[in-house]
Amino acid sequence: MMSYYKGNQTGMPVGLLPDPYYWWLAGAMFDQMIHYWYYTGDTSYNSVVTQGLLAQISPGKDFMPSNQTLTEGNDDQAFWAFAAMSAAEMNYPDPPAGQPSWLALAQAVFNEQAGRWDTTRCGGGLRWQIFSWNKGYEYKNSISNGGFFQLAARLARYTGNQTYADWAEKTWDWMETTTLITPEYNIYDGADMSDNCTKPVQLQWTYNVGTFLMGAANLYNYTKGAPKWQMVTEGLLNGTQVFFPEQLGRNVMQEVACEPQQSCNNDQPSFKAYLSRWMAATTQVAPFTADYIMPKLRASAQGAAKQCSGAPNGGTTCGRTWNTATWDGKVGIGEQMSALSIIQANLISKVPAPVTAAKGGTSVGNPEAGTGENSVQRDPVLTKKITGADRAGAGILTALVLGGLLGSTWWISVGS
């Protein structure tokens, strides 16, 4: 995966992936490499990851860099916040002096997105796009709202601050009033505001159900097992079944909206990475899910490993279709990230659970991050001032791993 990133080379933009990959995918990549560091302890790439993440913060100390102000969406910003949140939860080394903490960066995104909560149509929710000139501004999609839900839930667990939990619950309750989620917990892509979000686009993607699952599991943990969040977590696990088709034995993951048709774009091959990552994390904060989740992670990892067999570069290039025995000829950062994610996920029982402010966290937060004069404008009425515990697990960045490390991780995680 590291071979796709050029930001550590002279003259190349730091923190960005080259075309055709978008800004958000770099944030997702750095988050994946945080997990790589967490699982393996390999610090070889920490300086590159830290540099990349910090290069994409603005003078407002948030993930609103000037190089993205024309195109950034709420979902894009959320993936960078996830990386910062992972760094805090995993006690990754703090940023250098003078830089905002990982926790503060996540809090900044939360505050900004809370300020974008929109009640003009559909009864609430976040728009897909931040700026009105972008296509999709009149669309409310599940990944933007799921990203905000997950971020709020993780901040609640980390800091112990009820305000975050209140916003997470508000977001979930809103989702249940819309057509974006079915009684079977299938999560649809989104809906246009022109018809008050009554006609959903019924595409289902792994990362949509994954982001809500991660949020619900964190709320289950934060509330010490509240029945509501156990029910929601169980329901969302049921909603993942569409991505483990019967014809693949119910345990091998597939991106059903594009993989069978071979129509995935440059973003979509990475989506399985996030469901893999978040299913694994769910077993830590909601342990009752492990018996259901782990067989799927194991079988999918075995399939992913086969997709690295027979490929170029000594078997370190990985394909996309985890239900075929040899490399399918597909290449890209999404394929690499998904293979790394599912294989690493099988190490989840060997690493400690995410820390909190009260239990081991060292990242010092800033509850008012993202609200200063250099930050994007927001309506102060929409968010309460956040008080209470604001220390959380530190350090983020990870280690961008070379394709060769993927092979060694496979033997560690699935060899038996």
Side-chain angles (χ1 to χ4, degrees):
M1 189 167 69
M2 177 63 169
S3 64
Y4 287 89
Y5 180 64
K6 310 299 182 184
N8 58 335
Q9 298 179 10
T10 302
M12 301 301 291
V14 181
L16 302 180
L17 287 164
D19 291 339
Y21 300 113
Y22 292 114
W23 180 69
W24 77 273
L25 196 57
M29 175 189 69
F30 291 134
D31 193 4
Q32 190 63 59
M33 299 315 303
I34 297 169
H35 285 74
Y36 168 77
W37 165 81
Y38 194 57
Y39 282 124
T40 68
D42 183 357
T43 62
S44 301
Y45 305 99
N46 285 13
S47 61
V48 173
V49 179
T50 300
Q51 180 193 47
L53 281 165
L54 297 180
Q56 296 303 307
I57 62 175
S58 74
K61 297 183 178 180
D62 55 14
F63 288 117
M64 292 290 294
S66 59
N67 61 21
Q68 300 298 320
T69 51
L70 295 179
T71 59
E72 186 173 343
N74 282 306
D75 53 347
D76 304 327
Q77 190 185 37
F79 274 89
W80 287 83
F82 293 158
M85 198 71 235
S86 295
E89 290 168 335
M90 295 176 180
N91 267 346
Y92 185 89
D94 290 324
Q99 296 284 1
S101 71
W102 306 126
L103 177 58
L105 286 167
Q107 289 171 313
V109 173
F110 168 85
N111 285 333
E112 290 173 349
Q113 294 199 350
R116 299 181 194 131
W117 188 263
D118 174 72
T119 57
T120 60
R121 296 279 180 88
C122 312
L126 291 181
R127 296 171 184 258
W128 176 17
Q129 297 296 330
I130 296 171
F131 303 108
S132 60
W133 53 78
N134 283 329
K135 183 178 180 181
Y137 185 70
E138 298 296 323
Y139 190 71
K140 292 189 175 178
N141 64 342
S142 293
I143 192 58
S144 294
N145 287 283
F148 180 57
F149 171 72
Q150 181 190 147
L151 180 61
R154 291 168 72 179
L155 282 168
R157 179 184 177 273
Y158 236 20
T159 66
N161 191 316
Q162 183 62 33
T163 298
Y164 296 122
D166 290 344
W167 269 101
E169 186 160 24
K170 176 178 180 176
T171 305
W172 176 258
D173 290 348
W174 173 78
M175 280 289 295
E176 288 199 307
T177 70
T178 72
T179 59
L180 300 182
I181 182 170
T182 73
E184 297 75 33
Y185 291 86
N186 296 316
I187 309 290
Y188 293 146
D189 184 77
D192 197 86
M193 295 170 60
S194 62
D195 55 21
N196 208 36
C197 299
T198 58
K199 299 177 181 178
V201 175
Q202 295 185 6
L203 290 172
Q204 295 186 66
W205 302 104
T206 49
Y207 75 164
N208 281 332
V209 69
T211 193
F212 282 103
L213 175 64
M214 181 67 162
N218 272 270
L219 288 175
Y220 169 84
N221 188 280
Y222 170 73
T223 59
K224 297 179 172 58
K228 173 178 180 175
W229 296 116
Q230 178 168 345
M231 182 185 71
V232 172
T233 300
E234 290 172 342
L236 289 164
L237 281 177
N238 184 67
T240 67
Q241 289 187 22
V242 67
F243 304 110
F244 297 91
E246 186 173 0
Q247 61 268 33
L248 305 187
R250 284 294 184 195
N251 279 333
V252 177
M253 192 185 303
Q254 183 181 69
E255 196 65 64
V256 295
C258 69
E259 254 183 54
Q261 306 87 347
Q262 298 189 38
S263 61
C264 302
N265 65 19
N266 289 319
D267 290 336
Q268 292 153 3
S270 75
F271 290 179
K272 290 190 294 187
Y274 318 128
L275 180 56
S276 302
R277 182 189 306 170
W278 295 329
M279 286 182 78
T282 291
T283 68
Q284 290 186 306
V285 293
F288 72 89
T289 64
D291 287 345
Y292 178 85
I293 288 175
M294 292 311 299
K296 297 183 183 304
L297 297 184
R298 284 192 292 269
S300 295
Q302 290 165 356
K306 292 176 183 177
Q307 272 301 301
C308 307
S309 175
N313 302 321
T316 61
T317 295
C318 299
R320 182 182 306 166
T321 51
W322 295 348
N323 59 303
T324 55
T326 56
W327 181 54
D328 60 9
K330 305 295 184 184
V331 295
I333 193 169
E335 287 82 357
Q336 295 296 112
M337 192 187 308
S338 291
L340 179 59
S341 183
I342 190 64
I343 289 169
Q344 284 183 168
N346 283 268
L347 292 171
I348 193 66
S349 65
K350 301 182 185 299
V351 294
V355 299
T356 66
K359 293 184 179 180
T362 61
S363 187
V364 178
N366 176 8
E368 299 197 16
T371 66
E373 62 181 21
N374 288 324
S375 299
V376 174
Q377 291 289 326
R378 68 185 195 93
D379 183 350
V381 174
L382 293 176
T383 53
K384 296 190 295 183
K385 180 178 179 180
I386 298 170
T387 59
D390 58 286
R391 292 181 60 83
I396 180 168
L397 284 3
T398 111
L400 285 166
V401 59
L402 290 166
L405 292 175
L406 183 62
S408 61
T409 306
W410 156 256
W411 294 113
I412 294 170
S413 59
V414 196
S416 60

